[in-house]
Amino acid sequence: MRRFIAGFLAVSMLAAVGCSKNTDNKEQTTDKGKDPAPSQPAAAQVIRINIGTDPETLDPAVSTGVPESNVQLSLYEGLMRLDKDGKPVAGMAETHTVSPDGKTYTFKLRDAKWSNGDAVTANDFVYAWKRALDPMLASEYAYQLYYLEGAEAANTIPLNQLEADGKTEKKGADGKPIARPEADIKKDWEAAAAKIGVKAVDAKTLEVKLTSATPYFLSLTAFHTLYPVHQKSVEAGKADWFRKPETLVGNGPFKLVSWTPKDKVIVEKNPNYWDAKAVKLDKVEYYLIDSEATATQMFEAGQLDIIESGVNNAELPRLKKEYPDELKILPDLGLYYYRFNVTKAPMNDVKVRKALTLAIDRQLIVETITQGGQLPAMSEVPGGMPDVSGDFRANGKDFFKDNDIATAKDLLKQAGYPDGKGFPKFTIMYNTSEGHKRIAEAIQEMWKKNLGINVELENVEWQVYLSRQSELDYDISRAGWIGDYIDPMTFADMWVTKGGNNQTGWANAEYDKLIATAKNSADVAVRMKAMHDSEKLLMDEMPILPIYHYVRVRMVSKNVKNWSEPLTSGMNLREAYLQK
Amino acid sequence: MAISDSRFAPLPNRQAAAERITTPPISFAADAWRRFKANPAALAGLVILVLIALAAFVGPYFTEYSYSDQIRGMNNKPPSAEHWFGTDPLGRDMLVRIFIGGRISLAVAVFAGLLQLVVGVAYGAVAGLRGGRVDNFMMRIVDILDTIPLTIYVILLAVLLKPGLTSIFIAIGVVYWTGMARLVRASVLALKEQEFMLAARALGASRSRLVFRHLVPNAMAPIIVELTFSVPRAIFTESFLSFIGLGVSAPMASWGVLASDGFAVMRSYLWELAIPAAAIVMTTIAFNFVGDGLRDALDPKLRR
Amino acid sequence: MARYILQRVITMLVVAWVVVTLTFFMMKALPGGPFASEKKLPEAILKNIERRYKLDRPLMEQYFDYLKNVVKWDLGPSFKYEGRTVNDVINKGFSVSAKLGGLSILISLVLGVPIGVIGAMRHNGLLDRVTSGLAILTAAAPSFVIAGLLQYYLGFKLKWFPPATWGTTKHYVLPTIALCSFSLAWLIKLTRSSMLEVTNQDYVRTARAKGIPEFWVVYRHMIKNALVPVIASLAPLTAGILVGSFIIEFIFAIPGVGREFVVSITNRDYTVTLGMTVFYGFLLTGFTLVGDILTALVDPRVRLDKEG
C-alpha cells in the first residue's frame, strides 16, 4: 500500500521535474559493473570512500579527529610517512640522523614542492610546528609536540595575571581571573617560541631537539599535527583558508578540489607531488555519510568503493556471508573497558573489582554481540606494540582467565558478599548507543547468573557521560581508548595519579614511579620492563575492567588495489588504484 | 341504519399516556455511547485497544520467559512455535518484550492524549475566547515553548531527574500540548462569532459553559485528528527521551526503542523491526477508529 | 488590522529575545562543553581554547556580547567547525533543507487538501477509505521506517533513485516522499474531518436549500470554514519542515540544516544551536502571524484584535 502512494508521488514528482536538465552524468561514469564496459579500460581512476562525519577542519595543526586525518593524509606529507606496514619511511625528509642520546634529530629534506610549485623548506616545518604550539591558535593537539624542548612552556604561557608567587591566578572582583593584555602575551610567546627545539639550519636541514629520548618520535613526524603548512597561503587566507582550494596549499599526493560541508570532500592528483609517478588515482571522493546503514547500502549498491567509517556493525553476520572478500577486519590499538569508581564502596574493594572482572564471559560477548573479530581482553595493552623484541602483548601474556566464575565467587565471598548477598545497589553508566547497551545488558545478566548480583543500567547523553565520568559521579562507567602512537606508553600513562584520563580515582605511588622510569629512560630494556611491571600492577589492582581489544572493520571493493591502513594511520590511498 | 349510543364508549383519557416518554430519557453520554456502539469500526478499535492493553499488563504473567532472560544460542531467531515473535540479538523472547514495552508506550500515549485534552484544549479555548492581547500573550508563550529545542531541556531534565516513567511524563507534559492549543484556539476564534455563540451569550451562559458545552464540541474534528496523530508521535518522543537518558532503563524497552533498535538490523532480522512497528501501527489505527467513532458520537449536529 | 500586525511584529522581537535568553542560559547549564572529548585535554590547552573563543569571560558578558551581535544578525563562529560562521552554516544548510521542505509542504498542500475535501464529499466512498487508511498508516509508521523502506526498495533494490546523498534532481525524490508523508497524511485527515464537521452546519444546509450549485456551496461555504484549523496547523508544520528533519537528513545523507541543529546540541556548539534556535523562532512566529492573517482573510468573522 505504501509503495503505491510512494510510486504515485514519485510519478507526479518526475512529471514536475521532467523538463529540467539532467545533470546526473557524473555518477554514470563511475558506476562500476552496471554499464557496459567503458571504451577505455584505464578510464577514470576515481575512488569513492566514506569517512563518516564532516571534518571539523583540514588545518593539520588543530585537527583531532579520524575523518580529518584521512583527508589530510592525502593532502599533506610529514618528514616521515608510514608505509603499508606502519613503518616510518622517508617522506619530506630524505635522510635523518639521531644523536647518541636520542634527543637530537637532524632531517635532510628532499627537493619537494608544494601543490602551487613552491619549494618545501625546513622553515615551513619550523613555522608549522611553532604555529601549532601558539596559544593564540589554541590547538587541542598542541600536546603532540610537547616532546620538543621548550614546547610545553611556550604553549602554556600564562594568559591571566598571576599573583606574586607566579603560579596562582589573580582573581577580579567577580571571582574570575583577570586577562593579561594581548601585547604582553604576544611578547612572552615570541620569547618562548624562540626557545622551542626546532630550527632550520639551512633551507633543507631541520634540527629537532627533544626533552627526552622518544623511540617513537619518527613515527610521530608522520602524524598530522607535525605536517608542514604553506606559510604564505595560511597567512593570506582568512580563518577558513583550509576550506578553499586556492588557499589550501599542500605537499601531499593529492590536492583539494572542493569541500561541501556534510556532503563531500573531493581531492585530485597533485602533479607537483615529489613522487607523483607513484600516484595512480586521478581523484578521491571522500563521502561524509553519518548513517552506518546508509553507508553500507551505498557500498552494496556499488556507489562507494571503500567504507573507512560506517560499516553497519549490527549487520556484520550478513555482511560476512555476502561480502567475504570485501569485509576487512584490521587490528586496532584500542581497548573497550569499564572504569570502576574506586572511591566508592563496594568498588573500593579490590576483591570486588576482581570478582566482577572475572565473572564476565568475554568470548561470548565478542562472538554474539560485537561479532567483528574483536579479541577478548585479559590485559590492558592491545597487541601490535613492539617490545624489546617481539610483541609487547605476546610477551606480557594474559593476567587472568576469562569467565573464571569459581575464583570470582570465592573473591566475592572473601569480600563479604557470599553469593552476592547484601551486595549494595550499583549502576553501570554508558553513553547512549545500541552497542554499549547490548554489552551492558549481557554483563548485567552474567553478574546476575554467575554472582547473584543485580546491577542497574543507566544510559546518558554523550556530554553528560563525559562530565559525570570526570567528576567520578558513577559506580561503573563504560569506556574506550584508542592509542595515539605505537608504544605501550599511550595506554600506560593514563593511570598515573590524577592523570586527566584516569577518572577512576585510583592513585598508586608505585605505579607513578614505574611510569616516570619508563618515560625518562633512553634504555629500551628498562623502559619496557617498567611498562610490563606497571601493567601487572594495574591488573593486580584492577581499577578498570578490560572487556575486549578493538578491531577496525572496513569494506573495500575488490576492484581497489594497493590500499593500506596501518595502525594509527588513516586510509592511505597514495598508491591505490582501481582494477576491474 | 341507526347506531345506538351503546355502541360508543368513551375512550379512556389518554392525554397523559400520549405525553409520556416511553423510552427512558437518555443522557448525552448514553446517547453518544449508543451511537458509538452502532459504529462497527469504532467498536473494533476499542476491542483491539482493550486487547492490546490486556496483553501488555497481563500477558507477561502467561509466558515462561521474562523480558530480561537471555537464552544462550538463541540470538536473532525468527518467529517460531516456541517464540512467537522470535528473539532479539541477546536471545531474549520478543513476545514478552513487546508486552512489557507496550506498558510504557501505552502509558505514554494515554498520558499525552489526556494532557492534550485537558491542558491543550483548555489553553487554546481560553486564548481564542479571550482574544486580543490575552490571546497574543498566551500564544507567544506557545511559540516560545515550540522554539526552544526539546533536546536541550530534556538533557537538563535528565541531569536533574532519575530515569523512569515520571520523568517521561514531566518532559512530555511541558511541551506536548502546544499543537492542540494552536488548533483549538484557531477554531474557537472562528466559532465564537457564530450565531449559536451569540445566542448562548445572550442567554447568559458562563464562560466555562461557553467553552465546554458550545465551543469544544464544535471544534471536535481537529481535536480528534490531533489526538490520533499524537499517539505515534508520543510513542516516538518517548524513544527519543530514552535516547537522551530520560526513559526507562535497559533491559526494559518501549516499542519505540525496540523499533529503532530493530531498524539497524532491518535487512538481516526483519521481524525485530516489523513486530514493534506493527504494534505501534495497530495501536494508532485502533485509536484512530475509536477517535472517528467518538467524533461522530459526540457531534452535537448529528444528534437526532 | 495594520495596528494589530505591528503589535504582533513587536511581540515577535520580544519572543526572539526571550528565546535567545532562555536558550543561552539553558545551553550553558548543560554539562560538558564544545571541547570536551573522550581524550581529556591538558588544563593549559583548554585555557588557550577558552580564551580564543572567549569562553573564559563572565557569563553575563558573554550573553550581552552575543545579544549585541544577534541584533546585527552576526551569529558568531561555530566552535566545532573551524573557519565557519553560524551564518554560513545556516545559509548553506537552509538552502538545502528549504528546497526539500518547500517541495514537501507544497506537495502535501496540493495533494492533501483536495484529497481531504473529496474524501469528505464522498464520505466512506472508496477514495475516502483508501486515502484515509493510507494516511493513518503513514502517520503511524515512524519516519525512519518509511525512509529506510524507500531507500531499500526504490533506491537499492529497484535502483529507481539514488539511495542517498545529494546533488541532482533525482536525489530529491526519496527524501521528499519520506519528508512529506507525515504532513500529507496530516493534511488529508485534518481537511477531511474539518469538512465533515461543516457538512451539517446550518448555513451549509441553507445554502443548499437556496439551490446554490454544489461546487459553490463547497467552495464558498465549506472549504473556507474547514480551512481554519488547517491554516492554524500549517505554521508549525511549515516552519518545522523547512528547517529540515534530522532523521530524513541523516538517513539520506543530506547536507541540510536539520542535522546541524541536533548535532550542534550534542557538540555543545553553543553558537550554532543558538543561531538555529533564533532562526527557527523567527520562522515559526512569522508563519504563525501569516497564518493568523490568512485565517482572518478566509473567515471575515475572525477578529484577531478583538478582546473577548
Side-chain angles (χ1 to χ4, degrees):
Chain A
M1 279 306 228
R2 192 185 290 108
R3 233 192 289 179
F4 161 75
I5 195 167
F8 172 62
L9 284 178
V11 170
S12 63
M13 274 230 21
L14 280 184
V17 297
C19 324
S20 69
K21 223 173 24 192
N22 186 5
T23 50
D24 193 10
N25 43 25
K26 187 169 51 193
E27 236 156 65
Q28 287 157 8
T29 52
T30 52
D31 200 352
K32 63 185 164 56
K34 306 290 173 293
D35 301 339
S39 47
Q40 308 147 298
Q45 284 280 335
V46 180
I47 281 184
R48 298 152 303 167
I49 168 174
N50 188 47
I51 52 169
T53 323
D54 191 13
E56 290 167 10
T57 175
L58 287 179
D59 178 349
V62 297
S63 76
T64 57
V66 179
E68 291 82 359
S69 72
N70 271 303
V71 183
Q72 284 163 352
L73 189 62
S74 287
L75 296 175
Y76 301 95
E77 188 167 295
L79 292 168
M80 296 280 141
R81 57 184 185 83
L82 301 181
D83 69 3
K84 66 179 196 305
D85 304 317
K87 295 263 170 314
V89 294
M92 283 295 112
E94 205 160 17
T95 59
H96 68 273
T97 54
V98 191
S99 68
D101 65 355
K103 288 189 185 175
T104 308
Y105 285 71
T106 312
F107 297 93
K108 283 275 177 211
L109 303 192
R110 68 171 83 245
D111 287 320
K113 279 181 183 155
W114 290 98
S115 55
N116 68 351
D118 291 357
V120 177
T121 67
N123 261 319
D124 291 328
F125 283 91
V126 177
Y127 170 73
W129 291 9
K130 288 190 174 172
R131 176 174 175 270
L133 283 166
D134 189 342
M136 307 290 169
L137 185 74
S139 163
E140 289 180 47
Y141 260 17
Y143 66 83
Q144 302 282 5
L145 282 156
Y146 281 7
Y147 305 94
L148 268 59
E149 230 174 44
E152 185 166 1
N155 185 236
T156 57
I157 50 175
L159 306 172
N160 297 315
Q161 294 184 24
L162 298 181
E163 299 284 3
D165 67 357
K167 273 186 197 148
T168 44
E169 291 183 337
K170 215 182 260 178
K171 296 267 157 51
D174 56 355
K176 288 262 180 184
I178 312 160
R180 295 173 67 201
E182 187 94 16
D184 286 7
I185 301 176
K186 270 210 174 110
K187 215 169 73 195
D188 276 14
W189 157 248
E190 271 154 27
K195 290 185 204 147
I196 297 174
V198 56
K199 193 167 80 185
V201 178
D202 59 51
K204 293 283 166 197
T205 313
L206 186 74
E207 191 187 86
V208 182
K209 284 205 160 78
L210 307 182
T211 53
S212 61
T214 311
Y216 46 89
F217 180 72
L218 274 186
S219 302
L220 216 60
T221 63
F223 190 68
H224 59 76
T225 317
L226 280 74
Y227 286 158
V229 290
H230 187 255
Q231 181 168 5
K232 257 190 266 165
S233 315
V234 171
E235 283 170 358
K238 299 217 175 60
D240 62 347
W241 61 269
F242 46 84
R243 289 187 179 271
K244 292 175 293 194
E246 309 90 78
T247 43
L248 198 162
V249 174
N251 63 334
F254 300 93
K255 59 179 189 179
L256 184 68
V257 176
S258 68
W259 176 5
T260 329
K262 289 270 187 300
D263 186 25
K264 249 179 254 172
V265 182
I266 300 174
V267 301
E268 65 181 10
K269 183 175 172 162
N270 171 12
N272 281 322
Y273 181 57
W274 68 270
D275 198 11
K277 63 176 189 311
V279 181
K280 297 184 187 76
L281 290 178
D282 298 317
K283 234 184 205 180
V284 180
E285 297 185 4
Y286 290 97
Y287 280 67
L288 312 173
I289 304 170
D290 281 322
S291 159
E292 290 184 351
T294 302
T296 306
Q297 208 150 86
M298 289 283 283
F299 181 90
E300 295 189 66
Q303 305 207 350
L304 282 175
D305 304 302
I306 303 176
I307 307 181
E308 198 277 335
S309 164
V311 177
N312 190 355
N313 279 314
E315 298 229 76
L316 274 177
R318 179 179 69 82
L319 296 175
K320 268 190 230 165
K321 207 160 55 192
E322 291 177 22
Y323 300 92
D325 299 328
E326 285 88 348
L327 193 78
K328 311 279 180 190
I329 310 268
L330 312 174
D332 201 356
L333 270 192
L335 174 70
Y336 187 93
Y337 64 101
Y338 281 178
R339 283 187 163 98
F340 289 115
N341 180 357
V342 304
T343 64
K344 253 171 118 176
M347 251 49 87
N348 56 359
D349 185 344
V350 64
K351 291 199 183 77
V352 168
R353 302 202 291 264
K354 279 193 165 162
L356 293 175
T357 306
L358 293 177
I360 289 176
D361 188 346
R362 292 165 180 75
Q363 194 62 40
L364 188 71
I365 291 176
V366 301
E367 271 171 16
T368 62
I369 302 175
T370 62
Q371 302 185 84
Q374 287 81 356
L375 308 159
M378 275 75 77
S379 60
E380 184 206 12
V381 179
M385 310 269 199
D387 203 337
V388 182
S389 67
D391 184 79
F392 184 87
R393 178 73 284 122
N395 297 345
K397 301 206 175 60
D398 288 346
F399 291 91
F400 53 88
K401 220 174 90 204
D402 187 24
N403 200 23
D404 186 356
I405 298 165
T407 318
K409 279 185 140 160
D410 194 42
L411 281 164
L412 198 65
K413 200 162 141 193
Q414 288 175 38
Y417 308 105
D419 295 321
K421 279 190 195 73
F423 202 87
K425 215 174 113 174
F426 70 119
T427 308
I428 299 176
M429 175 180 80
Y430 60 96
N431 59 298
T432 310
S433 123
E434 220 193 311
H436 301 331
K437 179 167 78 180
R438 296 244 180 282
I439 291 171
E441 284 174 332
I443 288 179
Q444 178 186 46
E445 187 76 359
M446 289 169 187
W447 285 345
K448 191 161 123 195
K449 260 199 199 134
N450 301 341
L451 301 177
I453 290 177
N454 285 310
V455 63
E456 284 177 20
L457 308 182
E458 184 184 14
N459 69 300
V460 291
E461 192 250 1
W462 171 243
Q463 297 243 6
V464 175
Y465 156 80
L466 289 179
S467 76
R468 279 183 58 181
Q469 191 167 251
S470 72
E471 286 158 14
L472 293 183
D473 180 13
Y474 68 89
D475 303 322
I476 292 181
S477 164
R478 177 222 69 98
W481 185 259
I482 307 273
D484 287 325
Y485 46 85
I486 306 182
D487 189 274
M489 186 54 83
T490 189
F491 282 86
D493 73 353
M494 282 166 75
W495 312 110
V496 296
T497 303
K498 297 213 165 45
N501 286 308
N502 181 322
Q503 304 185 5
T504 60
W506 186 68
N508 188 302
E510 200 188 329
Y511 190 88
D512 298 350
K513 220 161 73 193
L514 287 168
I515 298 301
T517 310
K519 277 198 166 168
N520 296 320
S521 171
D523 182 342
V524 187
V526 175
R527 280 191 81 234
M528 289 300 167
K529 183 171 183 315
M531 283 191 290
H532 276 299
D533 290 350
S534 73
E535 193 185 21
K536 182 171 183 312
L537 181 58
L538 185 79
M539 289 293 107
D540 277 346
E541 284 277 311
M542 214 64 100
I544 58 164
L545 184 167
I547 299 173
Y548 63 80
H549 288 131
Y550 286 115
V551 289
R552 293 171 295 170
V553 181
R554 308 286 186 255
M555 290 194 80
V556 182
S557 153
K558 279 185 273 189
N559 298 333
V560 179
K561 310 286 177 196
N562 226 7
W563 58 277
S564 70
E565 197 178 6
L567 287 170
T568 72
S569 166
M571 178 67 74
N572 191 345
L573 298 173
R574 191 181 109 109
E575 283 141 47
Y577 59 93
L578 284 174
Q579 194 179 58
K580 297 194 178 170
Chain B
M1 196 170 74
I3 303 164
S4 78
D5 280 354
S6 63
R7 294 199 144 208
F8 291 91
L11 274 169
N13 187 354
R14 291 236 180 105
Q15 190 64 35
E19 295 288 309
R20 208 180 74 220
I21 300 167
T22 45
T23 49
I26 43 174
S27 65
F28 178 64
D31 185 37
W33 171 238
R34 188 175 57 81
R35 273 184 287 138
F36 185 87
K37 268 195 306 191
N39 184 339
L43 212 56
L46 190 67
V47 170
I48 293 173
L49 278 185
V50 169
L51 286 180
I52 292 175
L54 265 180
F57 289 94
V58 186
Y61 300 108
F62 290 92
T63 61
E64 54 184 304
Y65 306 104
S66 103
Y67 66 93
S68 62
D69 280 348
Q70 301 173 9
I71 310 157
R72 252 291 170 122
M74 283 300 286
N75 318 55
N76 297 316
K77 291 279 178 285
S80 62
E82 178 64 23
H83 299 281
W84 292 1
F85 287 177
T87 60
D88 78 350
L90 287 173
R92 293 174 296 201
D93 181 54
M94 283 287 283
L95 180 69
V96 65
R97 286 180 68 74
I98 289 282
F99 286 162
I100 295 281
R103 293 184 182 177
I104 306 154
S105 293
L106 288 178
V108 169
V110 168
F111 174 78
L114 286 177
L115 181 85
Q116 289 193 314
L117 272 182
V118 177
V119 182
V121 170
Y123 194 95
V126 170
L129 192 61
R130 297 293 296 270
R133 254 174 263 159
V134 177
D135 169 48
N136 195 6
F137 179 76
M138 288 178 77
M139 293 319 287
R140 295 303 73 76
I141 290 179
V142 167
D143 283 350
I144 290 169
L145 284 175
D146 278 352
T147 305
I148 292 173
L150 186 71
T151 320
I152 296 185
Y153 96 93
V154 171
I155 296 173
L156 276 180
L157 282 180
V159 174
L160 298 172
L161 305 171
K162 284 245 157 274
L165 215 49
T166 330
S167 311
I168 298 175
F169 286 169
I170 293 174
I172 287 184
V174 180
V175 288
Y176 219 72
W177 48 271
T178 55
M180 182 67 90
R182 282 175 192 273
L183 279 179
V184 172
R185 173 230 176 219
S187 296
V188 167
L189 272 181
L191 285 170
K192 72 173 177 183
E193 305 297 337
Q194 292 206 6
E195 291 79 3
F196 69 90
M197 281 297 288
L198 194 68
R201 268 181 220 258
L203 289 172
S206 70
R207 196 168 260 156
S208 68
R209 193 181 162 78
L210 284 181
V211 170
F212 293 108
R213 282 315 288 254
H214 297 283
L215 290 175
V216 172
N218 278 293
M220 224 45 197
I223 292 176
I224 296 284
V225 174
E226 171 75 12
L227 268 182
T228 310
F229 274 67
S230 81
V231 171
R233 242 176 33 218
I235 290 174
F236 286 105
T237 304
E238 185 278 328
S239 72
F240 168 73
L241 298 181
S242 204
F243 188 83
I244 303 286
L246 249 193
V248 292
S249 294
M252 204 177 269
S254 63
W255 287 347
V257 171
L258 288 175
S260 31
D261 286 356
F263 180 63
V265 291
M266 183 175 89
R267 292 183 52 195
S268 301
Y269 319 113
L270 184 63
W271 67 91
E272 288 175 25
L273 167 67
I275 289 170
I280 297 167
V281 169
M282 253 174 67
T283 309
T284 310
I285 291 176
F287 267 110
N288 174 54
F289 284 159
V290 173
D292 280 355
L294 268 182
R295 192 195 64 85
D296 290 345
L298 295 178
D299 191 342
K301 293 174 293 284
L302 286 176
R303 269 185 102 180
R304 19 195 100 97
Chain C
M1 195 65 180
R3 200 188 137 91
Y4 176 78
I5 293 174
L6 185 71
Q7 191 192 334
R8 282 286 293 269
V9 170
I10 293 166
T11 44
M12 254 170 84
L13 296 175
V14 178
V15 166
W17 171 72
V18 174
V19 164
V20 169
T21 309
L22 283 176
T23 313
F24 182 90
F25 288 104
M26 278 165 78
M27 235 3 230
K28 293 283 180 179
L30 293 184
F35 304 103
S37 82
E38 195 148 24
K39 296 201 171 173
K40 237 188 159 189
L41 291 175
E43 205 61 34
I45 288 185
L46 211 54
K47 277 209 157 127
N48 291 342
I49 294 168
E50 284 177 349
R51 179 176 180 278
R52 178 177 158 188
Y53 289 99
K54 302 194 170 94
L55 291 170
D56 56 348
R57 303 279 172 78
L59 199 57
M60 288 315 281
E61 190 183 323
Q62 292 182 40
Y63 168 65
F64 285 115
D65 275 355
Y66 185 77
L67 267 193
K68 260 183 260 166
N69 290 327
V70 165
V71 172
K72 292 178 275 181
W73 201 241
D74 167 9
L75 302 173
S78 158
F79 291 113
K80 208 70 192 174
Y81 299 108
E82 285 269 333
R84 290 193 80 185
T85 63
V86 178
N87 293 67
D88 177 53
V89 171
I90 293 181
N91 291 346
K92 284 221 177 77
F94 187 64
S95 74
V96 172
S97 295
K99 272 184 218 152
L100 202 57
L103 193 62
S104 297
I105 203 80
L106 198 72
I107 292 175
S108 307
L109 273 175
V110 168
L111 291 179
V113 174
I115 290 178
V117 170
I118 296 166
M121 298 323 296
R122 306 266 179 277
H123 187 32
N124 287 337
L126 182 67
L127 181 83
D128 181 38
R129 282 176 192 276
V130 170
T131 54
S132 187
L134 274 179
I136 202 67
L137 204 63
T138 343
S143 61
F144 61 81
V145 171
I146 295 178
L149 290 175
L150 284 172
Q151 184 177 58
Y152 180 62
Y153 285 108
L154 300 188
F156 179 70
K157 277 265 151 135
L158 296 173
K159 300 192 195 308
W160 288 1
F161 307 104
T165 69
W166 193 239
T168 66
T169 36
K170 270 188 169 181
H171 285 97
Y172 276 85
V173 181
L174 299 183
T176 306
I177 299 171
L179 190 58
C180 74
S181 64
F182 182 86
S183 47
L184 182 59
W186 166 260
L187 286 174
I188 290 176
K189 285 294 276 183
L190 188 63
T191 312
R192 173 180 171 274
S193 281
S194 303
M195 282 296 286
L196 284 177
E197 187 87 13
V198 294
T199 320
N200 296 306
Q201 291 277 11
D202 300 337
Y203 57 80
V204 175
R205 271 188 242 172
T206 315
R208 286 217 173 102
K210 281 199 291 186
I212 295 173
E214 183 64 14
F215 166 78
W216 200 243
V217 174
V218 172
Y219 178 71
R220 268 305 283 273
H221 297 275
M222 294 173 69
I223 292 186
K224 281 194 165 183
N225 284 286
L227 274 182
V228 169
V230 174
I231 293 172
S233 74
L234 270 180
L237 202 64
T238 313
I241 243 179
L242 282 183
V243 296
S245 143
F246 171 77
I247 290 173
I248 303 293
E249 291 178 6
F250 176 75
I251 291 180
F252 290 107
I254 294 165
V257 85
R259 233 170 0 140
E260 306 275 11
F261 206 169
V262 173
V263 171
S264 71
I265 299 174
T266 312
N267 284 341
R268 306 290 189 268
D269 198 344
Y270 300 128
T271 42
V272 174
T273 307
L274 275 165
M276 288 286 318
T277 306
V278 183
F279 179 69
Y280 176 68
F282 276 124
L283 278 185
L284 181 70
T285 46
F287 281 124
T288 307
L289 176 57
V290 172
D292 280 354
I293 295 169
L294 270 179
T295 311
L297 290 179
V298 166
D299 189 341
R301 284 171 310 192
V302 171
R303 296 280 315 277
L304 292 163
D305 44 355
K306 198 178 122 185
E307 306 273 340

